[in-house]
């Protein structure tokens, strides 16, 4: 028995403020002024940020040219997969009315291409893309191995469907002298993608490193020959390949293709004048009723030409201000409002409520007992219970003039006050009843 008592005492929590739940606590008491000030400040902040973001997005200069229908002959040629080895080009002239100052970026944009399909996203091998195991193609179905069983590198549906159109921008310096606009294909990827998620095998010769693998079915050349001009831009570290491998969330999306090299005539950006896109059409889209376009755009501190974030902030600020003005109007209307009670009103309130309703009431109730020249205020600070069930009939007896015989009994468990002055009105709130004489 003694041992059992010692074991039960050992399981008791320590006598500390934390384990005994005696830590000091703070309960935030919100006032109408504090709440209204918070709503007003939030509305001002959201509206200000939203307007700034919208103005910033509106200041971006952007031009988009859809070329699926313009290059219709090439589109029909690419519908037949047997024509993959036939080259098809088209030229699209356009006029740039205003100078695009600063850094200019070229994007390709696809319509109706669902990169967010679950099986499409899973069809890749992260260990292969990091260069650790080139033959790990278990998650790349249906593009894991070729017909003869050779592992595909890079494997998977995402890599096989890479965007492979070639887009060259030309500037007509004079009417008869077109020059190619210098564009950079480096620096278009995320840092984490370039240096963390994608790595080539540890070998100075990539052709030897990728020995024993084969290219994807839709590719014209192997992964280690993607960029013959820049040896560092080959293999899994190719910028175009890395950009494509980051799957888009929506069926209409654009991806960064090139950025302007600000040299020679283009130190200030793209000057106004006549330009043309020379496109080698390779990527088929008509089979799934999609479209392609090329976009030239500038950027600001807030990013690209997207009004969503600015509109979201503006709408949030407007709704917050609407709530602020509504609550302020209600607060001003109820601030000086007073409730007047008379003796007949109190009698009628007792008659209208049944005994069951009084017993089930969960709110704090203030009952005023008024007589000629004197008044009683009974503050029920808790919900109806057994004591208040006894007090209610006593209150009715007092209205009939039985003040003296019940005044002592009413005070049991319920605070009250007796006043000799004439009582005009009371003000109620959530905690007490205040007399106004």
């Amino acid at each position: 028995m003694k041992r059992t008592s010692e074991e039960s005492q050992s399981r008791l929590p320590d006598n500390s403020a934390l384990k005994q739940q005696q830590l000091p606590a703070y309960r935030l008491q919100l006032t109408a002024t504090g709440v209204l000030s918070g709503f007003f400040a939030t509305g001002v902040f959201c509206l200000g940020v939203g307007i700034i973001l919208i103005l910033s997005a509106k200041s971006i200069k952007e031009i988009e040219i859809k070329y699926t229908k313009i290059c219709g002959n090439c589109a029909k040629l690419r519908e037949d997969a047997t024509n993959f080895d036939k080259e098809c080009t088209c030229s699209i002239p356009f006029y740039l009315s205003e100078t695009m100052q600063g850094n200019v970026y070229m994007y390709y944009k696809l319509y109706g291409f669902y990169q967010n399909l679950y099986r499409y996203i899973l069809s890749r091998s992260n260990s292969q893309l990091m260069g650790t195991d080139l033959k790990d193609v278990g998650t790349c179905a249906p593009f894991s191995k070729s017909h003869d069983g050779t592992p595909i590198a890079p494997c998977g549906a995402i890599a096989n469907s890479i965007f492979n159109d070639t887009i060259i921008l030309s500037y007509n310096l004079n009417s008869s002298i077109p020059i190619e606009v210098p564009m950079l294909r480096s620096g278009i990827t995320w840092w984490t993608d370039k240096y963390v998620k994608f790595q080539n095998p540890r070998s100075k010769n990539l052709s030897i490193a990728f020995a024993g693998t084969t290219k994807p079915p839709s590719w014209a050349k192997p992964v280690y020959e993607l960029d013959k001009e820049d040896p560092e831009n080959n293999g899994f570290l190719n910028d175009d390949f890395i950009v494509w491998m980051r799957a888009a969330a929506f069926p209409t999306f654009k991806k960064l293709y090139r950025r302007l090299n600000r040299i020679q005539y283009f130190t200030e950006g793209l000057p106004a004048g006549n330009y043309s896109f020379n496109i080698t059409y390779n990527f088929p889209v008509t089979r799934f009723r999609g479209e392609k376009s090329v976009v030239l755009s500038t950027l600001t501190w807030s990013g690209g030409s997207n009004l969503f974030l600015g509109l979201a902030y503006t709408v949030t600020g407007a709704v917050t201000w609407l709530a602020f003005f509504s609550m302020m109007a209600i607060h001003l209307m109820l601030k000086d409002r007073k409730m007047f009670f008379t003796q007949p009103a109190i009698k009628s309130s007792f008659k209208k409520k049944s005994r069951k309703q009084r017993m089930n009431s969960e709110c704090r109730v203030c009952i005023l007992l008024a007589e000629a020249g004197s008044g009683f205020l009974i503050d029920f600070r808790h919900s109806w219970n057994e004591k208040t069930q006894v007090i209610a009939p006593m209150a009715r007896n007092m209205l009939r003039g039985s003040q003296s015989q019940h005044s002592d009994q009413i005070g049991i468990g319920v605070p009250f006050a007796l006043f000799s002055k004439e009582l005009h009105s009371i003000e109620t709130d959530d905690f007490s009843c205040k007399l106004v004489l």
Side-chain angles (χ1 to χ4, degrees):
M1 188 71 179
K2 183 178 180 181
R3 183 179 180 181
T4 305
S5 177
E6 292 177 355
E7 291 178 356
S8 62
Q9 290 181 358
S10 65
R11 289 195 297 267
L12 293 176
D14 296 336
N15 189 20
S16 61
L18 175 62
K19 295 187 177 181
Q20 295 297 331
Q21 299 183 7
Q22 295 177 351
L23 292 175
Y26 175 76
R27 183 178 179 181
L28 181 62
Q29 300 290 342
L30 296 177
T31 62
T33 303
V35 173
L36 292 175
S37 301
F39 270 79
F40 180 81
T42 304
V44 170
F45 173 78
C46 291
L47 282 175
V49 173
I51 293 174
I52 293 174
L53 289 175
I54 291 176
L55 294 177
S56 177
K58 289 288 186 180
S59 65
I60 294 175
K61 295 179 180 179
E62 182 178 285
I63 181 172
E64 178 182 355
I65 298 177
K66 295 182 179 181
Y67 63 91
T68 306
K69 295 181 179 179
I70 298 176
C71 304
N73 296 331
C74 295
K76 291 181 180 180
L77 181 67
R78 291 292 174 243
E79 289 181 357
D80 188 356
T82 59
N83 297 323
F84 72 93
D85 57 342
K86 297 181 181 179
E87 184 175 311
C88 185
T89 61
C90 64
S91 181
I92 306 172
F94 67 96
Y95 179 74
L96 190 63
S97 58
E98 297 181 359
T99 301
M100 300 181 72
Q101 294 184 349
N103 295 324
V104 181
Y105 300 87
M106 181 190 296
Y107 302 83
Y108 59 86
K109 191 172 183 178
L110 297 179
Y111 294 84
F113 191 93
Y114 290 83
Q115 268 197 322
N116 58 354
L117 291 177
Y118 183 68
R119 292 187 61 188
Y120 181 86
I121 293 177
L122 293 181
S123 183
R124 60 186 291 167
S125 174
N126 291 325
S127 61
Q128 186 190 65
L129 296 175
M130 293 182 66
T132 56
D133 188 0
L134 294 181
K135 297 184 179 181
D136 181 14
V137 294
T139 58
C140 294
F143 301 98
S144 56
K145 296 182 179 180
S146 61
H147 296 292
D148 57 359
T150 305
I152 297 175
C155 65
I158 306 178
N160 183 69
S161 60
I162 188 173
F163 183 84
N164 55 353
D165 283 2
T166 303
I167 306 173
I168 298 175
L169 178 63
S170 298
Y171 172 56
N172 296 329
L173 184 60
N174 294 319
S175 57
S176 59
I177 307 177
I179 59 174
E180 182 177 339
V181 178
M183 289 286 182
L184 298 174
R185 63 178 64 191
S186 60
I188 61 176
T189 62
W190 291 21
W191 187 92
T192 53
D193 290 345
K194 184 78 172 181
Y195 298 100
V196 178
K197 294 183 178 181
F198 294 85
Q199 293 293 324
N200 281 326
R202 294 183 178 180
S203 176
K204 296 181 179 180
N205 193 330
L206 289 181
S207 61
I208 298 176
F210 283 94
T213 63
T214 185
K215 65 180 181 62
S218 298
W219 286 31
K221 48 190 174 182
V223 67
Y224 50 85
E225 295 181 357
L226 293 178
D227 190 352
K228 295 182 178 180
E229 298 179 0
D230 185 7
E232 300 295 328
N233 193 34
N234 279 311
F236 297 145
L237 293 178
N238 180 266
D239 286 359
D240 292 331
F241 173 71
I242 294 175
V243 169
W244 177 257
M245 291 298 292
R246 178 170 286 275
F250 300 101
T252 298
F253 60 89
K254 65 180 181 180
K255 292 179 180 288
L256 186 57
Y257 183 69
R258 297 288 183 268
R259 58 190 182 94
L260 178 65
N261 188 8
R262 297 171 62 177
I263 58 175
Q264 299 176 356
Y265 302 102
F266 310 100
T267 54
E268 301 297 328
L270 286 181
N274 294 312
Y275 291 83
S276 63
F277 284 120
N278 300 313
I279 300 173
T280 302
Y281 198 107
N282 294 316
F283 192 82
V285 294
T286 54
R287 285 183 292 180
F288 57 86
R289 299 180 182 178
E291 284 190 277
K292 297 185 293 185
S293 67
V294 57
V295 179
L296 291 175
S297 176
T298 59
L299 296 179
T300 62
W301 61 270
S302 61
S305 178
N306 192 345
L307 297 176
F308 173 78
L309 189 59
L311 292 176
Y313 269 101
T314 305
V315 171
T316 303
V319 172
T320 305
W321 260 19
L322 180 62
F324 161 75
F325 286 116
S326 301
M327 291 188 295
M328 185 175 64
I330 296 173
H331 174 66
L332 293 178
M333 286 190 299
L334 299 180
K335 184 177 181 181
D336 299 326
R337 184 176 177 181
K338 296 181 180 180
M339 301 178 65
F340 294 89
F341 296 88
T342 60
Q343 184 174 348
I346 297 175
K347 290 182 179 180
S348 62
S349 65
F350 279 107
K351 292 180 180 178
K352 290 180 181 179
K353 288 188 176 182
S354 64
R355 180 181 180 83
K356 185 176 181 180
Q357 289 175 334
R358 294 195 302 272
M359 292 172 62
N360 295 333
S361 176
E362 292 296 332
C363 62
R364 298 181 177 90
V365 181
C366 291
I367 300 177
L368 172 66
L369 304 179
E371 289 183 343
S374 64
F376 288 90
L377 179 65
I378 303 177
D379 183 2
F380 294 87
R381 295 180 179 272
H382 305 282
S383 60
W384 291 94
N385 50 32
E386 295 179 356
K387 294 180 180 179
T388 56
Q389 295 176 26
V390 177
I391 294 170
M394 294 179 181
R396 288 197 294 271
N397 292 332
M398 291 185 63
L399 290 174
R400 299 190 185 101
S402 56
Q403 168 186 345
S404 60
Q405 60 180 341
H406 293 292
S407 60
D408 295 335
Q409 298 178 11
I410 294 175
I412 299 175
V414 181
F416 79 101
L418 173 64
F419 297 89
S420 59
K421 295 183 180 181
E422 183 177 0
L423 184 64
H424 295 289
S425 64
I426 63 171
E427 294 180 355
T428 64
D429 56 26
D430 290 341
F431 300 97
S432 63
C433 300
K434 297 182 292 185
L435 295 173
V436 179
L437 302 176

